[in-house]
Amino acid sequence: LRLLDPAARRAYGEARFQAAKARAQRLVVRDAGAWAAADPNATLPHVALARAYTAAGLPDSAVRALETGLSNAEARRPELAYQMAFVRVAAGDYPGALGAVRGAMGRFPLDSLRPTMGPSAFWTVLGTAGAAMAAGSPSEARRVTQLAAASLPTIPLGAD
């Protein structure tokens, strides 16, 4: 993208760049919201909506999007619970992030990621451990990676 080039960005104008960025964020939130409304029983639209809200700087709305998905028995999948930890970190709610890590692991053991997430389980584990670290709990991060190494043996976590 040329707008990532500082000279192009200066030529385009910072105010116009920021306006375009804000409009794009609104459109992503709108479209992800429409997707979640059209397919409330699917998991991915709720995750997409939460990520769109987080990127737009609206972590409270992201939490609500994930809670909506988790309240729907058809959409309730591990990735929604684990995504909550990332959203709480984005909101600066570190105790909430640690609670989300523990809640996700209690509700959806890490081996539950295997059938539902495939290769993206690696990033979920990494992000969950990162959320635990951001929340000030290296022991919880270590627990996440140890359980992941045992539950998801194809994830490269430095095991011997």
Side-chain angles (χ1 to χ4, degrees):
L1 241 134
R2 288 196 60 232
L3 289 179
L4 296 178
D5 173 36
R9 195 167 163 168
R10 279 192 303 277
Y12 186 68
E14 189 63 28
R16 287 177 60 202
F17 175 80
Q18 292 302 326
K21 181 179 170 182
R23 181 174 186 275
Q25 287 175 330
R26 285 191 307 274
L27 292 173
V28 169
V29 167
R30 182 200 70 192
D31 291 348
W35 185 20
D39 198 0
N41 294 335
T43 302
L44 194 53
H46 298 288
V47 172
L49 182 56
R51 288 179 180 168
Y53 277 133
T54 301
L58 301 167
D60 291 339
S61 296
V63 167
R64 284 193 298 281
L66 293 173
E67 287 172 343
T68 298
L70 285 166
S71 70
N72 181 329
E74 293 295 318
R76 189 178 309 128
R77 297 285 182 272
E79 51 265 54
L80 291 173
Y82 284 94
Q83 186 73 35
M84 188 69 78
F86 314 144
V87 169
R88 296 284 187 191
V89 167
D93 178 9
Y94 300 108
L98 190 54
V101 168
R102 291 176 177 155
M105 290 177 66
R107 190 172 187 181
F108 298 103
L110 287 170
D111 63 352
S112 69
L113 297 175
R114 190 177 313 149
T116 60
M117 294 185 70
S120 66
F122 171 76
W123 297 109
T124 298
V125 168
L126 216 57
T128 302
M133 287 295 289
S137 183
S139 62
E140 198 70 29
R142 190 171 31 262
R143 183 173 155 249
V144 168
T145 57
Q146 287 170 343
L147 288 171
S151 304
L152 303 162
T154 59
I155 291 182
L157 293 170
D160 301 333

